[in-house]
């Protein structure tokens, strides 16, 4: 009986050792998986950082920026003469597109204005439109975002209520 008890103790000890080894293997596998996940994550971050560094170098390359500045400064920024016909045709097209009515257009008044240390001729045309508030605002955006790179809208005044509004504004266009 003592012999049987010794065998059972040995068997229990062997089972305990096997279970302990199994637990150690499971813990090591979990640690290895966690380390592998961290390695993949770090590798992804490294690739993103490397791509960002490359893009930043390209974007802020001094020679490229200098060439771009030279190219832009070589072109005249503003037209040489007042494109009044094109401007008025463009404004008239916007009347239909944005369902507003142009009720008054004052002739262009010439003047000058300094921009960036250089003086340009400025032609101001006062326009009055009627329509809904939303349509008038959309029309103003249309005029300002048009094909003219030297245009500005100023002195905007809106009055009215409900679906009947009146907008008065000045279109300023600059020339060289």
């Amino acid at each position: 009986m003592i012999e049987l008890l010794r065998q059972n103790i040995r068997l229990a000890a062997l089972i305990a050792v096997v279970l302990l080894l199994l637990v150690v293997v499971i813990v090591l596998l979990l640690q290895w998986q966690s380390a592998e996940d961290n390695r993949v994550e770090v590798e992804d971050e490294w690739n993103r950082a490397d791509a960002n560094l490359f893009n930043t170098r390209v974007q802020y390359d001094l020679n490229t920026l200098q060439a771009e500045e030279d190219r832009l400064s070589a072109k005249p920024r503003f037209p040489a003469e007042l494109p009044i016909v094109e401007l008025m045709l463009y404004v008239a097209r916007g009347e239909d597109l944005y369902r507003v009515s142009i009720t008054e257009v004052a002739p262009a008044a010439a003047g000058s204005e300094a921009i960036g240390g250089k003086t340009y001729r400025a032609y101001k045309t006062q326009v009055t439109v009627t329509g809904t508030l939303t349509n008038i605002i959309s029309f103003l955006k249309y005029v300002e975002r048009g094909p003219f790179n030297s245009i500005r809208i100023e002195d905007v005044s809106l009055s009215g209520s409900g679906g009947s509004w009146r907008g008065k504004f000045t279109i300023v266009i600059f020339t060289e």
Side-chain angles (χ1 to χ4, degrees):
M1 172 119 166
I2 291 187
E3 187 62 34
L4 186 61
L5 190 58
R6 281 189 186 156
Q7 285 180 353
N8 284 341
I9 290 176
R10 286 185 195 149
L11 184 62
L14 183 62
I15 290 174
V17 168
V18 167
L19 285 176
L20 181 64
L21 287 175
L22 187 62
V23 167
V24 168
V25 167
I26 289 173
V27 167
L28 289 176
L29 278 173
L30 290 175
Q31 290 292 331
W32 177 80
Q33 183 62 41
S34 176
E36 182 64 21
D37 290 344
N38 287 344
R39 185 193 64 77
V40 169
E41 198 174 295
V42 167
E43 191 175 283
D44 288 345
E45 286 180 25
W46 177 267
N47 290 337
R48 277 194 302 274
D50 194 38
N52 287 340
L53 178 62
F54 177 77
N55 289 337
T56 302
R57 284 184 179 155
V58 168
Q59 187 176 8
Y60 295 109
D61 179 43
L62 185 59
N63 295 330
T64 305
L65 291 174
Q66 186 64 47
E68 182 68 14
E69 180 186 17
D70 294 342
R71 184 184 67 79
L72 290 172
S73 63
K75 288 184 177 178
R77 288 190 259 173
F78 299 146
E81 57 186 42
L82 177 64
I84 192 68
V85 173
E86 294 87 359
L87 176 63
M88 288 302 115
L89 287 173
Y90 183 75
V91 169
R93 253 182 273 134
E95 180 180 28
D96 291 334
L97 287 172
Y98 293 95
R99 296 185 313 271
V100 295
S101 296
I102 299 174
T103 58
E104 185 182 341
V105 177
S112 63
E113 189 171 323
I115 300 173
K118 187 175 178 186
T119 303
Y120 297 95
R121 287 180 299 228
Y123 297 92
K124 296 183 177 192
T125 304
Q126 200 168 54
V127 179
T128 305
V129 297
T130 58
T132 66
L133 181 60
T134 308
N135 289 357
I136 291 173
I137 292 171
S138 296
F139 177 74
L140 288 170
K141 288 179 185 177
Y142 163 80
V143 171
E144 197 165 51
R145 293 179 183 160
F148 306 98
N149 62 346
S150 64
I151 198 167
R152 178 177 69 204
I153 304 292
E154 62 182 29
D155 300 330
V156 177
S157 67
L158 299 168
S159 60
S161 64
S164 179
W165 284 79
R166 180 175 181 259
K168 193 172 187 177
F169 57 93
T170 303
I171 299 173
V172 181
I173 193 155
F174 299 95
T175 62
E176 292 277 338

